[in-house]
Amino acid sequence: MAKGKLQPPRGTRDFFPEDLRLRQWFFEHCRAVAHQFAFEEVDAPIVEHAELFTRKAGEEIVEQLYHFEIHGRHLALRPELTPSIARMVMSRAGALRFPLRWFAIGQNWRYERMTRGRKREHYQWNAEIIGAAEVSAEAELMAAIFSVFGRLGLPPGSVKLRVNSRALLEETLLAGILRKRPEIFAPLCVIVDKLSKIGTDAVAQLLSDPAGPVGIAASDARDVVDLLSVQDLEAAVKNAPADSPSARDLGRLFALLDAYEISEHVVFDASVVRGLAYYTGVVFEAFDAAGTLRAVCGGGRYDRLFETLGGKSMPAVGFGFGDVVIQELLADHGLLPELSRPLDAIVFAMEDALRPEAIRWARQLRGTGQAVEIVLDPARLKRVYADADRAGARRVYLIGPDELERGVARVRDLQTGDERDEKLPD
Ligand code: HAM
């Protein structure tokens, strides 16, 4: 293989043991929180029917799909987990207890333009509450997210959750600019989501591009952009029709967040609309307070996805929390742990004839739950100690003819250098 080809494809990662330890450390925290919040874990194939993901609203995620034809089938690597989870729910809908709480941890593939915090594959913790229509579900999910931030050691205030409601924006626009064209709301959101990347002028231009999917008047496009700059819920509610149900929902959501004691870290931000077309209600994204990184996680309510996929209508809300941005944030805070290899003992038979005795020791120690290596090839004792040190082993068990006769092993503690005889544990 050519030397350049020893690197994985651009935007993808190898996970060497130390990298994998870190990834698992992070997801074990997610898993622990998911269990505390009574979510059940599910999994689905990475390869799905491409049509599960090919929506027509012009979303980036669809353009970035890794897809292929094989034996006449059009398949794709999943770019996200939500459609697969929806598909699983639909396949068993009659037999499930709702509202259900499911979570999944898996790899997603998107052919992204690479920037800091964006790769072409990433792992995501996804949590979904399906079958609950009230914002109490959103509040639970947000509380779970903050629980993970706390477990990872992030100081309170270092991450802000920005919340908006697509429904509020929709109600506001349908009462005015989009009165005659309600169907362009989803593509409008896809364009508006680019705001932080390309700025207000470019968004207004895309919205008013006559050849684009939205094509509203330039003055209307400006009005939309102005609506997005609102960062105060009361002002946003004033722009919406009177008695707006989504304004009421947002008010209730903030009241619930008080009870979870996280409301001081959650702010209203009308510019958060999210880039996926399926969202219908509350949407949210978490950002580092310094504002230097991309969204750490994001989600929202998607009450119409099930219908879009050909199923019965079903209220649903969830989020995805990736492994890439959070690592950058933890590194910035000096919070990435040094996770050493778990290696409790190395067992060494000083002569080949003593190997069965070394195996007996290794089996017994492994039986007590310890991580144990046996020295496989003949070696000099000095090399064994040096190598055990390098591997980070805690103890070396030495079995020589004398030890065999006395029914013991000579144990060296590599941290203290102490040596003692030990009897084979029961
Ligand atoms: P998303 O915003 O596309 O939402 O992704 C969620 C999170 O996954 C992001 O905030 C980020 O942490 C991570 N992520 C996404 N793309 C990349 C990438 N290219 N490189 C590194 N990390 C990335 C969804 O995927 C929705 N399915 C979330 C959801 C679940 N909504 C409802 N339920």
Side-chain angles (χ1 to χ4, degrees), residues 47-95:
V47 176
E48 287 273 13
H49 297 290
E51 64 176 337
L52 187 63
F53 308 115
T54 48
R55 302 176 289 257
K56 295 202 173 59
E59 297 153 280
E60 263 187 354
I61 200 168
V62 178
E63 290 159 18
Q64 296 166 339
L65 206 60
Y66 281 84
H67 60 110
F68 52 94
E69 295 267 349
I70 185 165
H71 297 297
R73 293 201 175 84
H74 188 198
L75 302 176
L77 296 184
R78 68 175 173 222
E80 54 160 339
L81 286 149
T82 311
S84 300
I85 293 178
R87 178 183 59 66
M88 286 171 70
V89 170
M90 284 163 64
S91 74
R92 286 247 177 121

Side-chain angles (χ1 to χ4, degrees), residues 187-332:
L188 178 139
C189 287
V190 170
I191 293 177
V192 163
D193 180 59
K194 302 188 196 321
L195 191 73
S196 59
K197 245 189 261 169
I198 63 175
T200 48
D201 290 346
V203 164
Q205 238 166 36
L206 283 177
L207 288 174
S208 56
D209 177 0
V214 175
I216 52 179
S219 59
D220 289 346
R222 271 281 144 209
D223 287 347
V224 172
V225 168
D226 286 346
L227 279 178
L228 303 173
S229 64
V230 177
Q231 302 226 324
D232 150 31
L233 179 54
E234 266 175 46
V237 170
K238 274 197 200 124
N239 290 328
D243 299 325
S244 147
S246 42
R248 192 203 54 214
D249 275 353
L250 278 174
R252 289 181 46 231
L253 173 62
F254 276 97
L256 293 171
L257 297 179
D258 266 344
Y260 287 101
E261 299 187 15
I262 54 172
S263 55
E264 62 176 307
H265 309 303
V266 184
V267 293
F268 175 80
D269 183 340
S271 71
V272 172
V273 294
R274 309 269 300 136
L276 301 168
Y278 52 60
Y279 292 115
T280 53
V282 171
V283 280
F284 50 91
E285 279 178 346
F287 289 89
D288 63 302
T292 51
L293 300 169
R294 314 186 61 128
V296 177
C297 64
R301 180 164 283 282
Y302 51 99
D303 287 351
R304 287 197 290 273
L305 178 64
F306 287 81
E307 282 163 77
T308 318
L309 294 175
K312 277 206 298 208
S313 145
M314 177 79 80
V317 56
F319 66 79
F321 192 149
D323 64 331
V324 179
V325 185
I326 190 70
Q327 277 205 29
E328 303 231 1
L329 181 60
L330 292 171
D332 287 354

